[in-house]
Amino acid sequence: MAFKCPNCAGNLYYNITEKELQCEYCDSLFPLAKIPVPEFNEGPDLTNDPAQGNMPLVSFICKSCGAELLSPDESMLSYCSYCGSEAILEAKLTEEIKPKYILPFQQTKEQCKNIYRKRTEKMFFLPKDLKDSEYLERFRGTYIPYWMYKVDFPEPVTFEAKKKTTKNKQITETTYEVEAKVDGSFEGVPYDASSCFDDTISDMLMPFDKKKLKDFHPGYLAGFYADRADVPAEKYHVDAENRATQNAFDALSLSVRKSDKLDATIISKSEKKTLIKSEVIDNFTALFPIWFLTWRNKKRVAYAIVNGQNGRISCDLPVDMKSYSLSTIVTAAILFVLLTLFVSMTARTALMICSVLTVVALGLFKGEAREIRDRENHIFDKGYFVKGREVKMKEKKREKIREKKLFKSKKTLSTAVIMGGAFGAYVVWLFFNDVDISPSQKLLFVTFTCVIIGTIFAIQARSSLRYVREKSIRLFNFVAWAAVAASFFIAAWDPVSDIYYYFGCLACGLGAAIGSIGLIKYYNLLTTRQIPTFFDREGGRDNAKE
């Protein structure tokens, strides 16, 4: 099945630098056109298009997660790129539909590792494995399939545009009806055609330079993985048409503005779709290059992905809890000594500061809760659900969140932000009006504001946690909120002895510390993913060369 060297019969791999096939043994170089494609005639006819045809491959199946790794040769793999299992993979012959285009690798493995090192060199709390030079050898070249769509505009477009003129200090606005035709067709941004390659990661790798696409030749796959396109083309038809509609409207608006100095009327997304008729008239697959690194920790995996064309990088970078905890303890001890020796403050002021810091921790926690909710429920990964996979959140709720994040033009201010702004304005007003307020009143006002804002943050975080599998993380959210509530009750009680205020400071400190630990644990959940347990996965090829 493999591409063989005409000189010594050794295996050939695609040399990224030379842009030719090279022998692993004698180092001879050969243009792709001079190497015959291995024949394989046992499989079924997968396509009715003789110009596209099929191609022979070897399929490796991971016994641990069911990942299916495609390769031009029969070299056995040492571990699975998708779950990180070090297991021998079963091999079998298969036949796949050839993609129409391919974007060959331009970044070598060494360049990829240098890009990754530059990204992580100042990350002090990164697990040691993710900085180890030997471990970075696990970077593997992978071709990911994407659907490309050709969209046509069959009907002329009529829309309103306005022109403002100023004469004698009077502004006159005139409305015109503009009729235009969108010439040609639109070939939009590619859409990830692999059901288990997360669309959010795919988006982070963009853009690829489509001008450098080449007609597919299986020789480009020699030495690399090749994922299979298992998401139906129809899955992204609406997305492609909507993107084409938006681009067409933007182009028409710019055209009338430049030629006639008119401003197109701002209309909604649904109105644009009605105004500009778009239709997908063709679709085809193309393979795009990435470098893929897997890091496994118990039942979680983290990925580092590098765009194999331009070096753009997307990383899941967890925090090592041991090194983080140690550095936090040392930093806290140093700050305690410095504050004790050089700063003098009352017990009420200390409690006020601790309350504010705990609310900040709650706010950060809320934001992380929303992010991991979106990831675990694959809010922006439509291809994930192609094989009937399910998550805790219902589709109607997922669609509502997508619409809110993708199409909402104006974001409403949360109650917490409004109250925080009002509190700041009030403090400024007190300062400029020299209002005499007792320390007890100041503390009561600050802690009351903190408990209201903290309650809002805690409720918002709890709302997101409903859709997250890890339930123990809710305790961190509650403890931080309870600490803020305790500081308010102490302020309302207004005891004479300072010991109660210091007790409140201790409670807030513990609450903020526990909340911070929860935040880091939650961050690690966000930056890692559950080990895939699918048994319908198609993917990759090991033994990538430079």
Side-chain angles (χ1 to χ4, degrees):
M1 289 298 298
F3 290 89
K4 298 296 183 180
C5 174
N7 297 335
C8 69
N11 287 340
L12 299 178
Y13 68 91
Y14 180 73
N15 186 303
I16 297 173
T17 304
E18 301 295 336
K19 297 181 175 56
E20 292 183 337
L21 291 173
Q22 184 168 3
C23 179
E24 290 182 336
Y25 296 99
C26 67
D27 291 331
S28 300
L29 292 169
F30 306 94
L32 271 67
K34 292 187 177 181
I35 300 298
V37 177
E39 296 182 359
F40 182 65
N41 300 315
E42 298 177 12
D45 185 14
L46 303 179
T47 176
N48 295 321
D49 183 0
Q52 188 170 355
N54 304 337
M55 61 177 174
L57 290 172
V58 178
S59 174
F60 297 97
I61 300 176
C62 175
K63 295 180 180 180
S64 177
C65 72
E68 187 176 352
L69 313 175
L70 303 178
S71 163
D73 61 55
E74 300 175 6
S75 300
M76 295 305 294
L77 312 183
S78 58
Y79 75 97
C80 174
S81 290
Y82 298 100
C83 70
S85 296
E86 295 187 0
I88 296 176
L89 308 182
E90 295 181 345
K92 65 178 182 179
L93 296 179
T94 186
E95 192 166 8
E96 301 294 326
I97 299 175
K98 288 194 297 186
K100 189 173 182 179
Y101 297 110
I102 188 169
L103 190 60
F105 274 89
Q106 296 182 33
Q107 300 287 328
T108 66
K109 178 186 280 191
E110 196 58 41
Q111 289 173 317
C112 166
K113 291 190 293 185
N114 289 336
I115 291 168
Y116 176 84
R117 289 191 187 100
K118 187 175 181 181
R119 174 72 175 268
T120 59
E121 62 184 358
K122 295 182 180 180
M123 296 183 176
F124 303 108
F125 305 129
L126 198 66
K128 292 181 179 179
D129 283 349
L130 290 176
K131 285 189 174 183
D132 186 84
S133 297
E134 291 185 8
Y135 193 83
L136 296 189
E137 288 298 322
R138 285 194 169 203
F139 263 112
R140 292 174 171 174
T142 308
Y143 280 105
I144 298 296
Y146 284 80
W147 282 114
M148 308 279 287
Y149 297 91
K150 189 174 184 179
V151 183
D152 194 21
F153 306 94
E155 299 178 11
V157 179
T158 302
F159 62 97
E160 289 186 350
K162 296 180 180 181
K163 184 175 183 178
K164 292 181 180 181
T165 56
T166 304
K167 188 176 181 181
N168 298 327
K169 297 184 180 181
Q170 290 186 341
I171 300 176
T172 305
E173 185 176 83
T174 307
T175 301
Y176 297 89
E177 189 173 84
V178 179
E179 183 172 330
K181 178 170 175 51
V182 182
D183 293 325
S185 59
F186 171 80
E187 294 187 5
V189 174
Y191 293 88
D192 171 23
S194 172
S195 64
C196 289
F197 189 72
D198 198 312
D199 289 355
T200 56
I201 298 179
S202 175
D203 291 341
M204 292 176 185
L205 294 176
M206 294 295 174
F208 289 94
D209 187 356
K210 294 179 293 181
K211 295 179 181 179
K212 295 184 179 180
L213 284 171
K214 298 182 180 296
D215 291 334
F216 178 79
H217 186 288
Y220 289 114
L221 301 182
F224 298 96
Y225 282 144
D227 216 340
R228 182 186 295 165
D230 60 352
V231 177
E234 295 76 16
K235 189 69 176 179
Y236 298 112
H237 271 197
V238 174
D239 298 82
E241 289 173 353
N242 287 341
R243 191 182 293 272
T245 296
Q246 180 63 55
N247 282 26
F249 184 80
D250 292 342
L252 289 172
S253 300
L254 181 62
S255 177
V256 297
R257 189 181 300 119
K258 285 184 175 181
S259 59
D260 301 314
K261 297 183 179 179
L262 302 177
D263 287 324
T265 305
I266 298 175
I267 58 178
S268 67
K269 173 177 168 283
S270 59
E271 289 175 323
K272 289 176 186 175
K273 184 65 178 174
T274 304
L275 179 70
I276 303 177
K277 303 291 184 182
S278 58
E279 179 183 358
V280 173
I281 60 174
D282 191 16
N283 53 256
F284 48 87
T285 53
L287 296 181
F288 287 3
I290 67 167
W291 286 102
F292 200 106
L293 178 67
T294 305
W295 179 77
R296 179 169 177 169
N297 183 24
K298 297 180 181 179
K299 295 183 178 181
R300 309 289 293 187
V301 292
Y303 300 131
I305 314 291
V306 178
N307 185 313
Q309 183 193 36
N310 56 32
R312 188 181 179 92
I313 185 171
S314 171
C315 293
D316 294 333
L317 299 174
V319 172
D320 183 71
M321 285 298 297
K322 290 182 180 180
S323 59
Y324 172 80
S325 300
L326 179 62
S327 64
T328 300
I329 292 172
V330 172
T331 303
I334 293 173
L335 287 175
F336 178 79
V337 172
L338 292 175
L339 290 174
T340 302
L341 295 177
F342 301 106
V343 178
S344 177
M345 68 175 68
T346 65
R348 288 182 175 86
T349 303
L351 182 58
M352 191 184 306
I353 294 173
C354 289
S355 299
V356 173
L357 292 176
T358 309
V359 169
V360 171
L362 278 169
L364 295 172
F365 191 94
K366 176 205 70 172
E368 293 295 313
R370 285 182 175 176
E371 290 295 328
I372 199 168
R373 174 203 66 184
D374 292 351
R375 169 172 286 192
E376 285 204 359
N377 290 278
H378 296 267
I379 301 297
F380 302 100
D381 185 15
K382 288 186 176 182
Y384 178 83
F385 300 96
V386 168
K387 299 287 179 128
R389 303 182 185 109
E390 295 182 357
V391 293
K392 192 169 184 179
M393 187 182 290
K394 301 297 183 183
E395 169 58 26
K396 185 179 291 186
K397 177 68 174 177
R398 296 199 305 270
E399 186 61 34
K400 185 177 179 181
I401 295 174
R402 277 195 295 265
E403 289 286 332
K404 182 177 179 181
K405 286 200 172 185
L406 294 177
F407 303 120
K408 193 171 183 181
S409 57
K410 294 183 179 180
K411 295 182 179 179
T412 56
L413 292 175
S414 68
T415 306
V417 174
I418 294 173
M419 291 197 65
F423 169 69
Y426 181 68
V427 171
V428 172
W429 181 82
L430 291 177
F431 177 79
F432 282 103
N433 287 275
D434 196 24
V435 177
D436 186 19
I437 297 179
S438 68
S440 298
Q441 290 174 319
K442 289 180 181 178
L443 177 62
L444 183 62
F445 178 77
V446 171
T447 54
F448 175 74
T449 304
C450 285
V451 79
I452 295 298
I453 296 175
T455 300
I456 294 170
F457 284 156
I459 291 173
Q460 290 175 332
R462 177 65 179 79
S463 178
S464 296
L465 293 174
R466 289 173 51 203
Y467 303 102
V468 175
R469 296 183 184 91
E470 181 62 47
K471 302 303 180 186
S472 62
I473 202 74
R474 298 178 183 179
L475 179 63
F476 298 102
N477 184 44
F478 174 77
V479 170
W481 174 84
V484 177
S487 68
F488 168 69
F489 285 121
I490 292 173
W493 177 24
D494 192 23
V496 176
S497 175
D498 285 351
I499 188 64
Y500 296 102
Y501 296 100
Y502 288 125
F503 174 79
C505 290
L506 179 62
C508 283
L510 288 174
I514 292 172
S516 297
I517 292 172
L519 186 66
I520 296 300
K521 284 191 173 183
Y522 218 74
Y523 173 80
N524 282 348
L525 283 175
L526 181 65
T527 56
T528 59
R529 303 158 194 270
Q530 285 192 324
I531 292 176
T533 55
F534 37 78
F535 280 83
D536 53 12
R537 180 69 171 95
E538 292 89 16
R541 157 80 173 106
D542 190 14
N543 206 22
K545 302 294 181 179
E546 293 185 4

